[in-house]
Amino acid sequence: MPKGATDHACPRALSPVPEQPARKTRWTDAELMAVDFPEPRWAVPGLLCEGLNLLAGAPKLGKSWLSLGLGAAIANGDPALNAIDVERGPVLYCALEDTGRRLQRRRRQMLAAGGRAAPLLTLETACPTMAHGGEALLCEWLDANPHARLVIVDTFAKMRGADPAGMSAYAADYAAAVRFKTLADHYNVPFLLIHHVRKQGAEDFQDMVSGTNGLTGAVDATLVLKRTRGQADGVLHVTGRDVEEAEYAMSFDATSGAWTKLDGPAGDYQMHDTRALLTRFVREYPGSKPAAIADALQLNSNSVRQTLSRMAKDAQVRAAPGGTYFPTEGASDSDSCPPLSQLSLRHSTAGDQHEQE
C-alpha cells in the first residue's frame, strides 16, 4: 500500500468543518493576546492553506494534471502528490480550458494506472466570469458542500473578466484576485487559481508570475512550477503568509498523469546536470566570470557562483585570479560531461512526448 494510503474499502469519514465565529476585526492589544485562534485549515498540509493560493507555470508544463491529481487525491483522502496525507472532502475543479471529453480521457488514464474514482470530486468546464455569474456559481456549490476542502479554478484568466475602465493594471490585478479571496475567507475553504508565468526569467520566482505585483500581493500564497534540467521533472516553489517558503523536487509520470513530490532538497536533483552545463560553458568560454555565465544560461547568479566554487574544490573546473574560471588541464568534451543539445537547454524531458497541460 502506498505511503500514507488509506483502506479503499473503508474510506475515512468526512472531518467536520466547525462553524466559524462572527468575524472580528478590532481588538485592544490585551484582547488580541488573549484570543485563542483556531489553527488554519489545510487542503494539503504545508502546501495549500486556507485563503487564496496561486499556482503559476509555463504552458504545457503539466499544471492541469497537477490540479486534477490534487483534486482527486483530496476528494478520496489519498496522499496528495503521492507523499502528503490530507483530509478527505468535496473538491470543485473548474477546468475552464478543457472539454468533457478531454477530462474523461485524463481521468480514464489516471484510473487505468491504478487510480480510483472520486465521488466527491465535482468537475466543471464552463463558468462565467466573476462579475457575470461566476461568483454566484461558486457560492452555490460551496453552500451545497459545507465540508468542502478545496476549490480549483483553471485558469484564473478565464474567470477574472474584463478590467474596469480607467483602473491601473496593478489595481485591476489586485481587485480581480480579491474577489476570489473574499469567497475563500468567507467560506474558510482554500482556493487554488491556476495561472501562467512570464516568458522572461527572473531570479525571484514570484517575479515570474504573469501580471503585476498586485496579483501576488493579493493572494495568500504563491506557487510556481518550473521545469529543471536535472533528474527532477520540475521544482515547485512555494511562499506565503501561512506557508513556509520552500522548494520541492517534483517528478511527472506521463503514463498515469501523476505528479509526485520527491524526497530530499530540490537541489539534490538539479546539481548533477547543472554542473555538466557549467562545465561545458567554461570549456567553450574559458575565463568567464560567474555573473556572465549565469546571465548567459539564465540561472541564479548566487547558485552559479556557489556551484562553481564547489566544482573548483572538486577539480571539475579551475579557478583563476580575478574570479574567472577555466577548464581543468587536459579536459575534453568526453570527460564526465554529457553533450548538451538544444533540447536540454530548453528543459526537455521524456514527458514532452506526451500531452502535458
Side-chain angles (χ1 to χ4, degrees):
M1 185 176 293
K3 176 184 177 182
T6 57
D7 186 348
H8 291 184
C10 300
R12 287 182 292 176
L14 299 185
S15 296
V17 178
E19 287 292 329
Q20 294 299 305
R23 187 176 177 84
K24 183 176 174 63
T25 60
R26 181 181 296 178
W27 305 264
T28 65
D29 186 56
E31 289 171 341
L32 178 63
M33 298 308 295
V35 174
D36 185 16
F37 290 104
E39 290 297 317
R41 292 183 63 209
W42 294 87
V44 181
L47 198 65
L48 290 179
C49 192
E50 64 184 24
L52 184 61
N53 303 269
L54 182 75
L55 169 63
K60 308 302 180 185
L61 179 59
K63 300 186 302 297
S64 293
W65 280 114
L66 178 59
S67 306
L68 185 57
L70 287 173
I74 294 169
N76 282 331
D78 295 332
L81 304 177
N82 292 310
I84 306 173
D85 288 338
V86 299
E87 290 289 345
R88 175 173 170 257
V91 175
L92 174 63
Y93 176 39
C94 299
L96 306 181
E97 292 187 337
D98 286 318
T99 63
R101 179 182 294 108
R102 188 176 300 140
L103 278 177
Q104 182 187 69
R105 184 174 71 246
R106 287 185 185 154
R107 285 297 290 146
R108 284 178 172 173
Q109 185 172 337
M110 296 167 80
L111 295 174
R116 59 186 181 122
L120 296 181
L121 175 63
T122 300
L123 303 165
E124 173 69 68
T125 61
C127 189
T129 61
M130 291 292 280
H132 294 87
E135 186 172 342
L137 185 149
L138 295 178
C139 289
E140 179 184 2
W141 185 85
L142 287 163
D143 288 335
N145 292 272
H147 296 297
R149 288 293 172 187
L150 180 64
V151 172
I152 305 170
V153 177
D154 185 5
T155 62
F156 167 60
K158 283 285 189 177
M159 279 195 73
R160 70 172 290 173
D163 295 336
M167 185 176 286
S168 70
Y170 178 96
D173 280 347
Y174 192 90
V178 163
R179 295 199 71 155
F180 291 95
K181 177 170 169 55
T182 300
L183 289 185
D185 291 344
H186 176 76
Y187 286 95
N188 197 36
V189 173
F191 271 53
L192 178 62
L193 305 181
I194 310 303
H195 195 44
H196 299 292
V197 293
R198 307 172 188 270
K199 290 185 178 179
Q200 64 270 31
E203 287 197 15
D204 186 338
F205 70 87
Q206 289 195 91
D207 292 336
M208 296 180 63
V209 177
S210 180
T212 70
N213 289 337
L215 182 55
T216 52
V219 302
D220 295 295
T222 302
L223 301 86
V224 175
L225 181 63
K226 296 171 61 178
R227 189 185 298 279
T228 66
R229 294 185 177 93
Q231 299 173 37
D233 291 325
V235 172
L236 185 62
H237 299 266
V238 184
T239 189
R241 299 185 177 109
D242 293 310
V243 181
E244 182 178 351
E245 184 166 330
E247 56 182 32
Y248 302 99
M250 305 282 287
S251 176
F252 182 73
D253 183 346
T255 301
S256 63
W259 282 94
T260 297
K261 185 179 79 68
L262 302 174
D263 292 333
D268 290 352
Y269 296 89
Q270 303 174 70
M271 183 60 69
H272 172 76
D273 205 65
T274 299
R275 288 196 178 202
L277 188 67
L278 295 179
T279 302
R280 178 62 181 271
F281 190 94
V282 169
R283 286 173 181 166
E284 293 183 353
Y285 303 97
S288 297
K289 293 187 175 182
I293 298 173
D295 184 64
L297 298 177
Q298 295 186 342
L299 297 174
N300 181 278
S301 58
N302 288 330
S303 297
V304 169
R305 185 175 297 106
Q306 294 170 9
T307 302
L308 284 170
S309 178
R310 288 191 290 266
M311 290 173 66
K313 292 179 180 178
D314 294 339
Q316 293 176 320
V317 296
R318 178 169 56 86
T324 58
Y325 286 87
F326 291 82
T328 56
E329 296 293 334
S332 68
D333 284 346
S334 60
D335 292 340
S336 68
C337 181
L340 296 175
S341 68
Q342 289 300 314
L343 288 178
S344 64
L345 293 177
R346 291 174 56 200
H347 298 197
S348 276
T349 68
D352 288 334
Q353 305 303 317
H354 302 269
E355 181 183 18
Q356 293 190 13
E357 297 180 4

